[in-house]
């Protein structure tokens, strides 16, 4: 990741990501998983460079909503 802000993951976010990946490993192809991983890395890099690029959550203003597209 290029220089920018450091992205901190909550324990809950990491658990949810791990559970999602475990599910997807059973239901997606390796190519789809690879594309998702690239998309996540790209999005995280964008956020690190510009944390206000996505709409802030209405629940907690310090979080942002993300959409990933394959």
């Amino acid at each position: 990741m290029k220089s920018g802000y450091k992205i901190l993951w909550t324990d809950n976010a990491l658990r949810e990501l791990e559970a999602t990946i475990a599910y997807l490993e059973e239901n997606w192809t390796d190519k789809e998983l690879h594309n998702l991983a690239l998309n996540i890395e790209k999005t995280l890099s964008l956020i690190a460079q510009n944390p206000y690029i996505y709409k802030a959550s209405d629940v907690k203003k310090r979080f942002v909503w993300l959409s990933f597209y394959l």
Side-chain angles (χ1 to χ4, degrees):
M1 202 178 314
K2 296 178 184 174
S3 63
Y5 290 93
K6 182 176 181 179
I7 296 176
L8 302 176
W9 290 73
T10 64
D11 290 339
N12 185 55
L14 289 173
R15 280 191 304 272
E16 287 185 12
L17 180 61
E18 288 172 359
T20 300
I21 291 171
Y23 170 81
L24 295 176
E25 287 176 334
E26 296 293 321
N27 295 286
W28 282 17
T29 65
D30 287 341
K31 182 178 179 179
E32 290 170 318
L33 289 169
H34 179 74
N35 288 340
L36 176 63
L38 292 177
N39 204 321
I40 290 171
E41 286 295 323
K42 179 181 174 184
T43 302
L44 292 175
S45 180
L46 285 171
I47 293 169
Q49 294 301 310
N50 183 1
Y52 301 105
I53 197 167
Y54 291 99
K55 177 185 173 205
S57 168
D58 292 331
V59 177
K60 293 186 178 183
K61 293 297 181 190
R62 63 188 184 132
F63 296 105
V64 295
W65 292 106
L66 301 179
S67 296
F68 294 104
Y69 301 97
L70 294 177

